[in-house]
Amino acid sequence: MAQRDLILLGPPGAGKGTHAEYLEDSMSYTHLSTGNLLREAVANGNNLGKQAQDYMEAGELVPDDLVIELVTERMAQLDCEEHFLLDGFPRTTAQAEALSKMLGTIGREEPLVINLAVSDAEVVRRLGGRLMCPDCGTIYNVHRDGLDIGDKCPQCGGELYCRSDDQPEAIRNRLNVYEQDSAPLIDYYQQRGQLVTIDAEQDQQQVSVELAELAQGRRPC
Ligand code: AMP
């Protein structure tokens, strides 16, 4: 079976970024993370970054039209042999519909959608301990990796920090936003026969194995 384009769905902290990095390295996926693209825009201080910053810091969604434009531009640059993996997009039904239209325009098939399922309690535990490298974007966890804020990134030496939207109030807000705006995408893709769910609370390596099998079509959906 041929490798499939993928969308990773799941609440904040489900491991979308971590698993996307793994699939990027192991299967040469082109990892498109709207969160990373938006953080870059904020760091560059460009027009998009200025418009997105306040929403992001509050844990709110950036308006659909801005994010759809960003993804449309990026998708238009894909080669036909490249396989993409979307992480953090779509997050609303309007974004999902826009994505379908985009794919039709560039003549690509609908991707497989993988829902990484984790409980709210686990999300709060994971995000409370999440660290990020500002230079290479690698994600760590205080509980899992024995690293802390200010430590050097083992990959590149960058100084690890806790994202402002990983503070307790923003975490609660992001979970509410997820329930209201993004959880309906599970039904949306289920009804289209594109969805498969993985228990993302199991051992990280087991999740990676299941993801790789699904991506290569070696496991029935
Ligand atoms: P993430 O790194 O995916 O958790 O995204 C961080 C923040 O970026 C989110 O809390 C939103 O503020 C914003 N963001 C990322 N992707 C989207 C999207 N598809 N739609 C709207 N806002 C987004």
Side-chain angles (χ1 to χ4, degrees), residues 126-150:
R126 287 186 187 180
L127 293 188
R130 181 156 77 172
L131 300 170
M132 193 168 202
C133 173
D135 299 336
C136 70
T138 303
I139 301 158
Y140 300 95
N141 191 284
V142 173
H143 313 296
R144 186 191 62 205
D145 302 311
L147 292 162
D148 215 332
I149 295 171

PDB file of all heavy atoms in Angstrom, residues 126-150:
ATOM      1  N   ARG A 126       0.291  16.721  31.198  1.00  0.00           N
ATOM      2  CA  ARG A 126       1.350  16.832  30.181  1.00  0.00           C
ATOM      3  C   ARG A 126       1.710  18.279  29.882  1.00  0.00           C
ATOM      4  O   ARG A 126       2.875  18.642  29.806  1.00  0.00           O
ATOM      5  CB  ARG A 126       0.902  16.179  28.867  1.00  0.00           C
ATOM      6  CG  ARG A 126       0.881  14.681  28.948  1.00  0.00           C
ATOM      7  CD  ARG A 126       0.561  14.126  27.567  1.00  0.00           C
ATOM      8  NE  ARG A 126       0.359  12.701  27.611  1.00  0.00           N
ATOM      9  CZ  ARG A 126       0.075  11.974  26.551  1.00  0.00           C
ATOM     10  NH1 ARG A 126      -0.050  12.539  25.372  1.00  0.00           N
ATOM     11  NH2 ARG A 126      -0.089  10.673  26.657  1.00  0.00           N
ATOM     12  N   LEU A 127       0.686  19.142  29.691  1.00  0.00           N
ATOM     13  CA  LEU A 127       0.985  20.523  29.280  1.00  0.00           C
ATOM     14  C   LEU A 127       1.649  21.293  30.404  1.00  0.00           C
ATOM     15  O   LEU A 127       2.483  22.171  30.162  1.00  0.00           O
ATOM     16  CB  LEU A 127      -0.282  21.253  28.836  1.00  0.00           C
ATOM     17  CG  LEU A 127      -0.928  20.744  27.561  1.00  0.00           C
ATOM     18  CD1 LEU A 127      -2.054  21.673  27.149  1.00  0.00           C
ATOM     19  CD2 LEU A 127       0.068  20.629  26.427  1.00  0.00           C
ATOM     20  N   GLY A 128       1.275  20.949  31.653  1.00  0.00           N
ATOM     21  CA  GLY A 128       1.885  21.611  32.801  1.00  0.00           C
ATOM     22  C   GLY A 128       3.390  21.381  32.819  1.00  0.00           C
ATOM     23  O   GLY A 128       4.131  22.196  33.345  1.00  0.00           O
ATOM     24  N   GLY A 129       3.872  20.283  32.233  1.00  0.00           N
ATOM     25  CA  GLY A 129       5.308  19.985  32.269  1.00  0.00           C
ATOM     26  C   GLY A 129       5.976  20.115  30.916  1.00  0.00           C
ATOM     27  O   GLY A 129       7.099  19.660  30.733  1.00  0.00           O
ATOM     28  N   ARG A 130       5.293  20.751  29.955  1.00  0.00           N
ATOM     29  CA  ARG A 130       5.866  20.781  28.603  1.00  0.00           C
ATOM     30  C   ARG A 130       6.920  21.885  28.462  1.00  0.00           C
ATOM     31  O   ARG A 130       6.719  23.012  28.899  1.00  0.00           O
ATOM     32  CB  ARG A 130       4.753  21.000  27.575  1.00  0.00           C
ATOM     33  CG  ARG A 130       5.280  21.015  26.162  1.00  0.00           C
ATOM     34  CD  ARG A 130       4.238  20.649  25.177  1.00  0.00           C
ATOM     35  NE  ARG A 130       3.302  21.731  24.912  1.00  0.00           N
ATOM     36  CZ  ARG A 130       2.382  21.667  23.954  1.00  0.00           C
ATOM     37  NH1 ARG A 130       2.259  20.587  23.210  1.00  0.00           N
ATOM     38  NH2 ARG A 130       1.558  22.676  23.771  1.00  0.00           N
ATOM     39  N   LEU A 131       8.013  21.548  27.814  1.00  0.00           N
ATOM     40  CA  LEU A 131       9.086  22.516  27.529  1.00  0.00           C
ATOM     41  C   LEU A 131       9.322  22.527  26.024  1.00  0.00           C
ATOM     42  O   LEU A 131       9.112  21.506  25.363  1.00  0.00           O
ATOM     43  CB  LEU A 131      10.390  22.077  28.200  1.00  0.00           C
ATOM     44  CG  LEU A 131      10.386  21.924  29.716  1.00  0.00           C
ATOM     45  CD1 LEU A 131      11.675  21.248  30.180  1.00  0.00           C
ATOM     46  CD2 LEU A 131      10.249  23.287  30.387  1.00  0.00           C
ATOM     47  N   MET A 132       9.754  23.662  25.524  1.00  0.00           N
ATOM     48  CA  MET A 132      10.014  23.733  24.079  1.00  0.00           C
ATOM     49  C   MET A 132      11.352  24.424  23.829  1.00  0.00           C
ATOM     50  O   MET A 132      11.744  25.310  24.592  1.00  0.00           O
ATOM     51  CB  MET A 132       8.890  24.519  23.410  1.00  0.00           C
ATOM     52  CG  MET A 132       8.889  24.402  21.921  1.00  0.00           C
ATOM     53  SD  MET A 132       7.350  25.056  21.271  1.00  0.00           S
ATOM     54  CE  MET A 132       7.312  24.237  19.703  1.00  0.00           C
ATOM     55  N   CYS A 133      12.030  24.006  22.776  1.00  0.00           N
ATOM     56  CA  CYS A 133      13.260  24.685  22.387  1.00  0.00           C
ATOM     57  C   CYS A 133      12.907  25.801  21.397  1.00  0.00           C
ATOM     58  O   CYS A 133      12.259  25.527  20.377  1.00  0.00           O
ATOM     59  CB  CYS A 133      14.237  23.709  21.735  1.00  0.00           C
ATOM     60  SG  CYS A 133      15.669  24.583  21.086  1.00  0.00           S
ATOM     61  N   PRO A 134      13.301  27.052  21.675  1.00  0.00           N
ATOM     62  CA  PRO A 134      12.946  28.155  20.779  1.00  0.00           C
ATOM     63  C   PRO A 134      13.693  28.070  19.452  1.00  0.00           C
ATOM     64  O   PRO A 134      13.270  28.653  18.453  1.00  0.00           O
ATOM     65  CB  PRO A 134      13.383  29.405  21.550  1.00  0.00           C
ATOM     66  CG  PRO A 134      14.459  28.931  22.478  1.00  0.00           C
ATOM     67  CD  PRO A 134      14.137  27.494  22.814  1.00  0.00           C
ATOM     68  N   ASP A 135      14.814  27.323  19.424  1.00  0.00           N
ATOM     69  CA  ASP A 135      15.643  27.314  18.214  1.00  0.00           C
ATOM     70  C   ASP A 135      15.265  26.199  17.248  1.00  0.00           C
ATOM     71  O   ASP A 135      15.082  26.433  16.061  1.00  0.00           O
ATOM     72  CB  ASP A 135      17.125  27.208  18.596  1.00  0.00           C
ATOM     73  CG  ASP A 135      17.555  28.412  19.438  1.00  0.00           C
ATOM     74  OD1 ASP A 135      16.889  29.464  19.318  1.00  0.00           O
ATOM     75  OD2 ASP A 135      18.509  28.294  20.221  1.00  0.00           O
ATOM     76  N   CYS A 136      15.117  24.948  17.757  1.00  0.00           N
ATOM     77  CA  CYS A 136      14.816  23.850  16.819  1.00  0.00           C
ATOM     78  C   CYS A 136      13.382  23.348  16.965  1.00  0.00           C
ATOM     79  O   CYS A 136      12.947  22.501  16.184  1.00  0.00           O
ATOM     80  CB  CYS A 136      15.807  22.693  16.980  1.00  0.00           C
ATOM     81  SG  CYS A 136      15.632  21.787  18.519  1.00  0.00           S
ATOM     82  N   GLY A 137      12.626  23.838  17.970  1.00  0.00           N
ATOM     83  CA  GLY A 137      11.209  23.465  18.097  1.00  0.00           C
ATOM     84  C   GLY A 137      10.969  22.121  18.754  1.00  0.00           C
ATOM     85  O   GLY A 137       9.826  21.693  18.883  1.00  0.00           O
ATOM     86  N   THR A 138      12.050  21.423  19.189  1.00  0.00           N
ATOM     87  CA  THR A 138      11.842  20.112  19.820  1.00  0.00           C
ATOM     88  C   THR A 138      11.073  20.282  21.136  1.00  0.00           C
ATOM     89  O   THR A 138      11.280  21.254  21.860  1.00  0.00           O
ATOM     90  CB  THR A 138      13.203  19.415  20.079  1.00  0.00           C
ATOM     91  OG1 THR A 138      13.889  19.317  18.840  1.00  0.00           O
ATOM     92  CG2 THR A 138      13.019  18.024  20.659  1.00  0.00           C
ATOM     93  N   ILE A 139      10.162  19.315  21.385  1.00  0.00           N
ATOM     94  CA  ILE A 139       9.309  19.370  22.565  1.00  0.00           C
ATOM     95  C   ILE A 139       9.830  18.365  23.591  1.00  0.00           C
ATOM     96  O   ILE A 139      10.149  17.224  23.243  1.00  0.00           O
ATOM     97  CB  ILE A 139       7.856  18.996  22.173  1.00  0.00           C
ATOM     98  CG1 ILE A 139       7.334  19.965  21.114  1.00  0.00           C
ATOM     99  CG2 ILE A 139       6.949  18.986  23.404  1.00  0.00           C
ATOM    100  CD1 ILE A 139       6.191  19.407  20.303  1.00  0.00           C
ATOM    101  N   TYR A 140       9.916  18.797  24.843  1.00  0.00           N
ATOM    102  CA  TYR A 140      10.331  17.909  25.942  1.00  0.00           C
ATOM    103  C   TYR A 140       9.266  17.958  27.027  1.00  0.00           C
ATOM    104  O   TYR A 140       8.341  18.769  26.982  1.00  0.00           O
ATOM    105  CB  TYR A 140      11.682  18.355  26.524  1.00  0.00           C
ATOM    106  CG  TYR A 140      12.801  18.356  25.512  1.00  0.00           C
ATOM    107  CD1 TYR A 140      13.146  19.521  24.828  1.00  0.00           C
ATOM    108  CD2 TYR A 140      13.490  17.182  25.220  1.00  0.00           C
ATOM    109  CE1 TYR A 140      14.155  19.516  23.881  1.00  0.00           C
ATOM    110  CE2 TYR A 140      14.512  17.179  24.275  1.00  0.00           C
ATOM    111  CZ  TYR A 140      14.840  18.346  23.615  1.00  0.00           C
ATOM    112  OH  TYR A 140      15.839  18.335  22.682  1.00  0.00           O
ATOM    113  N   ASN A 141       9.436  17.076  28.022  1.00  0.00           N
ATOM    114  CA  ASN A 141       8.529  17.097  29.159  1.00  0.00           C
ATOM    115  C   ASN A 141       9.311  16.928  30.446  1.00  0.00           C
ATOM    116  O   ASN A 141      10.174  16.047  30.538  1.00  0.00           O
ATOM    117  CB  ASN A 141       7.479  15.989  29.017  1.00  0.00           C
ATOM    118  CG  ASN A 141       6.382  16.178  30.034  1.00  0.00           C
ATOM    119  OD1 ASN A 141       6.555  15.884  31.213  1.00  0.00           O
ATOM    120  ND2 ASN A 141       5.260  16.713  29.588  1.00  0.00           N
ATOM    121  N   VAL A 142       8.983  17.803  31.410  1.00  0.00           N
ATOM    122  CA  VAL A 142       9.674  17.789  32.702  1.00  0.00           C
ATOM    123  C   VAL A 142       9.600  16.388  33.320  1.00  0.00           C
ATOM    124  O   VAL A 142      10.603  15.854  33.796  1.00  0.00           O
ATOM    125  CB  VAL A 142       8.994  18.811  33.658  1.00  0.00           C
ATOM    126  CG1 VAL A 142       9.558  18.717  35.070  1.00  0.00           C
ATOM    127  CG2 VAL A 142       9.121  20.223  33.119  1.00  0.00           C
ATOM    128  N   HIS A 143       8.388  15.768  33.288  1.00  0.00           N
ATOM    129  CA  HIS A 143       8.193  14.465  33.936  1.00  0.00           C
ATOM    130  C   HIS A 143       8.946  13.360  33.186  1.00  0.00           C
ATOM    131  O   HIS A 143       9.551  12.488  33.779  1.00  0.00           O
ATOM    132  CB  HIS A 143       6.704  14.086  33.972  1.00  0.00           C
ATOM    133  CG  HIS A 143       5.824  15.206  34.444  1.00  0.00           C
ATOM    134  ND1 HIS A 143       5.906  15.730  35.709  1.00  0.00           N
ATOM    135  CD2 HIS A 143       4.859  15.917  33.802  1.00  0.00           C
ATOM    136  CE1 HIS A 143       5.020  16.716  35.828  1.00  0.00           C
ATOM    137  NE2 HIS A 143       4.377  16.846  34.685  1.00  0.00           N
ATOM    138  N   ARG A 144       8.931  13.417  31.864  1.00  0.00           N
ATOM    139  CA  ARG A 144       9.477  12.311  31.069  1.00  0.00           C
ATOM    140  C   ARG A 144      10.981  12.432  30.847  1.00  0.00           C
ATOM    141  O   ARG A 144      11.697  11.434  30.843  1.00  0.00           O
ATOM    142  CB  ARG A 144       8.754  12.306  29.709  1.00  0.00           C
ATOM    143  CG  ARG A 144       9.078  11.128  28.797  1.00  0.00           C
ATOM    144  CD  ARG A 144       8.526  11.365  27.402  1.00  0.00           C
ATOM    145  NE  ARG A 144       9.126  12.546  26.785  1.00  0.00           N
ATOM    146  CZ  ARG A 144       8.550  13.265  25.823  1.00  0.00           C
ATOM    147  NH1 ARG A 144       7.362  12.962  25.388  1.00  0.00           N
ATOM    148  NH2 ARG A 144       9.171  14.313  25.307  1.00  0.00           N
ATOM    149  N   ASP A 145      11.470  13.684  30.647  1.00  0.00           N
ATOM    150  CA  ASP A 145      12.850  13.848  30.178  1.00  0.00           C
ATOM    151  C   ASP A 145      13.815  14.356  31.243  1.00  0.00           C
ATOM    152  O   ASP A 145      15.013  14.481  30.969  1.00  0.00           O
ATOM    153  CB  ASP A 145      12.881  14.808  28.975  1.00  0.00           C
ATOM    154  CG  ASP A 145      12.004  14.306  27.841  1.00  0.00           C
ATOM    155  OD1 ASP A 145      12.129  13.123  27.491  1.00  0.00           O
ATOM    156  OD2 ASP A 145      11.194  15.091  27.321  1.00  0.00           O
ATOM    157  N   GLY A 146      13.299  14.678  32.438  1.00  0.00           N
ATOM    158  CA  GLY A 146      14.177  15.148  33.512  1.00  0.00           C
ATOM    159  C   GLY A 146      14.851  16.483  33.174  1.00  0.00           C
ATOM    160  O   GLY A 146      15.947  16.767  33.642  1.00  0.00           O
ATOM    161  N   LEU A 147      14.219  17.300  32.325  1.00  0.00           N
ATOM    162  CA  LEU A 147      14.767  18.621  31.979  1.00  0.00           C
ATOM    163  C   LEU A 147      13.883  19.692  32.612  1.00  0.00           C
ATOM    164  O   LEU A 147      12.744  19.423  32.982  1.00  0.00           O
ATOM    165  CB  LEU A 147      14.766  18.800  30.458  1.00  0.00           C
ATOM    166  CG  LEU A 147      15.736  17.903  29.703  1.00  0.00           C
ATOM    167  CD1 LEU A 147      15.362  17.838  28.229  1.00  0.00           C
ATOM    168  CD2 LEU A 147      17.162  18.432  29.855  1.00  0.00           C
ATOM    169  N   ASP A 148      14.403  20.939  32.692  1.00  0.00           N
ATOM    170  CA  ASP A 148      13.605  22.009  33.288  1.00  0.00           C
ATOM    171  C   ASP A 148      13.776  23.300  32.484  1.00  0.00           C
ATOM    172  O   ASP A 148      14.663  23.375  31.614  1.00  0.00           O
ATOM    173  CB  ASP A 148      14.030  22.218  34.751  1.00  0.00           C
ATOM    174  CG  ASP A 148      12.820  22.590  35.611  1.00  0.00           C
ATOM    175  OD1 ASP A 148      11.866  23.188  35.063  1.00  0.00           O
ATOM    176  OD2 ASP A 148      12.833  22.291  36.817  1.00  0.00           O
ATOM    177  N   ILE A 149      12.978  24.321  32.832  1.00  0.00           N
ATOM    178  CA  ILE A 149      13.074  25.619  32.155  1.00  0.00           C
ATOM    179  C   ILE A 149      14.511  26.149  32.306  1.00  0.00           C
ATOM    180  O   ILE A 149      15.075  26.076  33.404  1.00  0.00           O
ATOM    181  CB  ILE A 149      12.087  26.631  32.781  1.00  0.00           C
ATOM    182  CG1 ILE A 149      10.645  26.170  32.533  1.00  0.00           C
ATOM    183  CG2 ILE A 149      12.300  28.044  32.230  1.00  0.00           C
ATOM    184  CD1 ILE A 149       9.597  26.970  33.272  1.00  0.00           C
ATOM    185  N   GLY A 150      15.084  26.650  31.216  1.00  0.00           N
ATOM    186  CA  GLY A 150      16.436  27.219  31.280  1.00  0.00           C
ATOM    187  C   GLY A 150      17.528  26.205  30.947  1.00  0.00           C
ATOM    188  O   GLY A 150      18.663  26.591  30.660  1.00  0.00           O
TER     189      GLY A 150
END
